[in-house]
Structures are given as structure tokens and as C-alpha cells.
Amino acid sequence: MEVILYFSNAGEAFAGGKQVQLTVGNTAKIAQQIHQKTQALLLEIQTVVPYPQAYQATLQRARQEKEDQTCPAILPLTLPQDVTRLYLGFPNWYRSLPLAVVGCLKALSLAEVEIVPFCTHEGSGFGTALTELASLLPDNPILKEFSCYGSKVDDATTQAELLTWLKTL
Ligand SMILES: Cc1cc2nc3c(=O)[nH]c(=O)nc-3n(C[C@H](O)[C@H](O)[C@H](O)COP(=O)(O)O)c2cc1C
């Protein structure tokens, strides 16, 4: 079966240079759009200690985690036994994979599961996240990825690109 596993951080964010308040995170929105098209099971990676609402405080915590390479504890997550394809979504944090996602991937057993990465960002695309994924999951097939600006998740163009991408998989 197919599963969509994503990490996303609602709250204060920057979109196109302006501060905005997100009730649903950008990556969560893409995850929901994939769910609507594929009916894949939707699962969220959540940290035991949520990230702060305040943007600067989130930046600071994320920077510290990256410097120390410490993965924050995440809430228990059970993947179905028969997962064959995992759509894996995350925001670009400091040009890389958020440490919550790194920790989650290390904890899960993903042998022979196809990985389909998707990411939202504000200009850096995937940064180094795809290289990191390849080294965290060296034996998994990693399929064609999708990325878009977080501030453009609701745009018709983004939605059309998402549909085209899903059809190519
Ligand atoms: C801690 C942190 C670091 C970020 N670093 C980058 C970055 O290096 N490059 C970039 O393009 N966007 C960066 N962003 C912007 C996010 O990738 C972007 O807003 C994304 O859409 C957020 O997704 P979410 O709402 O699902 O959390 C960063 C945001 C945060 C909170």
C-alpha cells in the first residue's frame, strides 16, 4: 500500500518576504493534495515537544539541532506492514532535511520501500536533502521528486505541476 509521511510546521512563517500565520503548514497542504489524488494513507511526523509558534524561536531551535545533529523525539508512528511506496514530505530547513525527519527515517524499517520525496521551500529547493536521503536510505529506490515554494502551494500552477509529477511516477 501507499503511505504519505510528512513533517510540516504551522505557525509563523515567511512567505515571499512577508511574515504570515499558517494554520496548516505548507508541506501539510501538499501532502493533503497528494492524498486527494492517490488516496494514500496520510501520516504526520510530530515532535514530542512542538516547535515554537514564533518564527525566530523555531529558527533558533532548528539551527541548534542541525549544529548538534540531534534528532528531536517524535511521537510514536506505526507504518502498515505492507507499505510499498512512501511519499516523504518535509520543508527545507537550512538547506537540508529537518532533524525530525532524519530521526524518523532512522527509526523506521523501510526495506524495499520506494521513496518519493517532496519538499516545500522559499528558494533553496531541496538543498542537500536528496543527497542526505540517498545516504540515509542507500538501498531504497528513490523516485522522481517534487518541490515548490511554500508560499505558492495554493497556486493553480503548483497544483498543475503536482498533478503532472504524480502522473510521471
Ligand atoms: C527553521 C527553518 C529553516 C528554513 N530554512 C530554509 C532554507 O534554508 N531555504 C529555504 O528555501 N527555505 C527555508 N525555510 C522556509 C521553509 O522551507 C518554507 O517556509 C516551507 O514551505 C515551510 O514548510 P512547512 O509550512 O510545511 O513547515 C526555512 C524555514 C524554517 C522554519
Side-chain angles (χ1 to χ4, degrees):
M1 76 176 289
E2 297 191 340
V3 173
I4 304 159
L5 178 66
Y6 70 95
F7 172 68
S8 183
N9 188 51
E12 274 180 21
F14 267 82
K18 286 191 208 134
Q19 188 167 309
V20 292
Q21 185 72 29
L22 302 177
T23 47
V24 179
N26 297 324
T27 314
K29 283 193 177 170
I30 296 291
Q32 286 164 6
Q33 289 169 19
I34 297 172
H35 170 70
Q36 278 164 16
K37 299 297 169 203
T38 62
Q39 303 306 313
L41 178 71
L42 201 50
L43 293 177
E44 183 177 4
I45 300 171
Q46 290 177 290
T47 53
V48 172
V49 179
Y51 285 88
Q53 276 290 311
Y55 188 66
Q56 288 304 329
T58 295
L59 287 181
Q60 199 177 350
R61 174 170 157 190
R63 191 184 305 116
Q64 197 65 52
E65 287 171 355
K66 185 170 156 72
E67 267 172 34
D68 302 344
Q69 287 295 296
T70 42
C71 303
I74 57 169
L75 295 180
L77 199 63
T78 310
L79 280 187
Q81 294 276 334
D82 57 346
V83 54
T84 49
R85 172 180 287 184
L86 187 74
Y87 294 91
L88 177 68
F90 46 87
N92 177 323
W93 274 12
Y94 293 116
R95 303 187 66 82
S96 32
L97 271 182
L99 270 295
V101 178
V102 174
C104 180
L105 292 178
K106 285 182 176 167
L108 291 174
S109 177
L110 290 171
E112 293 177 27
V113 176
E114 281 179 347
I115 308 295
V116 187
F118 62 99
C119 155
T120 69
H121 61 90
E122 271 312 306
S124 308
F126 273 88
T128 56
L130 290 177
T131 317
E132 290 170 69
L133 272 184
S135 68
L136 281 165
L137 301 168
D139 299 325
N140 293 74
I142 299 187
L143 273 56
K144 176 91 184 118
E145 74 282 359
F146 176 81
S147 69
C148 67
Y149 273 73
S151 46
K152 296 185 180 165
V153 284
D154 294 322
D155 288 11
T157 315
T158 303
Q159 284 166 23
E161 285 168 3
L162 183 82
L163 273 185
T164 306
W165 165 67
L166 284 173
K167 285 182 192 150
T168 64
L169 294 171

